[in-house]
Amino acid sequence: DCTVKPFALQKDDVLIASTDGVRSISSSLLVGCIQDTSKTANKMVASITKRIETTKSPTQDNLAVCVAKIL
């Protein structure tokens, strides 16, 4: 969800834009996929995608995810 009020981004903040396909994992699992600050945005996307694939949810039909890491 996106807030209407602007907010300042800081170094090491991570923004995730995704389809509802990401809902097949919990927020805590999603945070776990991005928590390692040494990961690049590409590695975070790969980690999120792999985690979703391992759930083997029968209702999972699609996924689009974009990660931006503020340097």
Side-chain angles (χ1 to χ4, degrees):
D1 293 330
C2 187
T3 180
V4 176
K5 185 178 177 183
F7 54 92
L9 297 174
Q10 299 178 15
K11 184 179 184 294
D12 293 328
D13 281 350
V14 175
L15 300 175
I16 301 173
S18 68
T19 61
D20 63 351
V22 144
R23 291 186 181 170
S24 62
I25 60 172
S26 68
S27 295
S28 61
L29 288 177
L30 182 59
V31 169
C33 292
I34 64 167
Q35 205 164 24
D36 182 355
T37 58
S38 68
K39 284 184 181 177
T40 64
N42 285 343
K43 288 180 181 179
M44 290 178 193
V45 168
S47 180
I48 292 167
T49 303
K50 183 177 179 181
R51 175 64 74 168
I52 290 169
E53 288 173 348
T54 61
T55 65
K56 299 186 189 267
S57 173
T59 59
Q60 180 68 41
D61 61 351
N62 64 49
L63 171 67
V65 63
C66 177
V67 171
K69 183 176 179 182
I70 307 305
L71 302 174

